[in-house]
Amino acid sequence: MPARELRDLAERYADGVDRRAFDEVAVLFRPGGVLRVPARGMIGLDEHIGRAAIVAALRAVDRSAATLHAVTGQNVRIDGDLATGTVSGLAHHLVDTADGPRSLVWVLRYADRYGRVDGTWWFTRREVQVRWIESREVTWSGGRGADGAVRAGR
């Protein structure tokens, strides 16, 4: 059962980022939790400690018109109330460039540490590792629907 709970934690993280619900994502971390993300320019990692810093770091996602994160796999090692694991996934970033709209697809691996307190699993540390990035042409009107979602098409 803990493996399923840890998968759910990864899925909630992905969904929260895509909905721009950064406060909801931050509370998936223990107070004092750590999020390490690629630094601007994709060289090195920036470390963000605590929920407020995690929210601020996640706001970088706002540079994309839309995102879609997909968890494609997870491998965890559980030892009582502690666990470590890796999560693989794809993060699609819809961006408008001088050459037109593109989908930047980040092939990701997350290196995670988890802790369970009072029966609830939390991230204690999450490191985003970008394996490579694919750039794909998309057709995109740039319009948004009433629900705020980006609409595709010309």
Side-chain angles (χ1 to χ4, degrees), residues 41-106:
M42 305 302 283
I43 298 172
L45 294 171
D46 288 335
E47 185 169 276
H48 306 276
I49 302 170
R51 291 174 174 165
I54 290 168
V55 167
L58 292 171
R59 291 207 183 284
V61 173
D62 284 334
R63 291 192 298 263
S64 299
T67 58
L68 176 66
H69 288 72
V71 175
T72 60
Q74 185 176 37
N75 183 6
V76 295
R77 289 158 299 292
I78 300 165
D79 184 13
D81 288 334
L82 299 175
T84 58
T86 57
V87 173
S88 55
L90 301 172
H92 299 261
H93 298 80
L94 187 59
V95 297
D96 196 17
T97 72
D99 297 324
R102 306 288 302 176
S103 176
L104 302 179
V105 182
W106 294 17

Side-chain angles (χ1 to χ4, degrees), residues 6 9-10 13 25-36 47-51 54 74 77 79-85 110-118 120-128:
L6 294 172
L9 191 64
Y13 176 98
V25 174
V27 298
L28 300 175
F29 288 79
R30 290 285 300 153
V34 176
L35 177 63
R36 292 173 49 90
E47 185 169 276
H48 306 276
I49 302 170
R51 291 174 174 165
I54 290 168
Q74 185 176 37
R77 289 158 299 292
D79 184 13
D81 288 334
L82 299 175
T84 58
Y110 297 91
D112 292 334
R113 295 183 194 164
Y114 313 94
R116 182 170 49 191
V117 177
D118 296 327
T120 300
W121 285 100
W122 310 82
F123 291 110
T124 59
R125 177 184 170 94
R126 174 160 253 216
E127 182 175 300
V128 180

Side-chain angles (χ1 to χ4, degrees), residues 138-151:
V138 296
T139 55
W140 171 43
S141 70
R144 293 184 180 268
D147 61 355
V150 174
R151 299 293 183 222

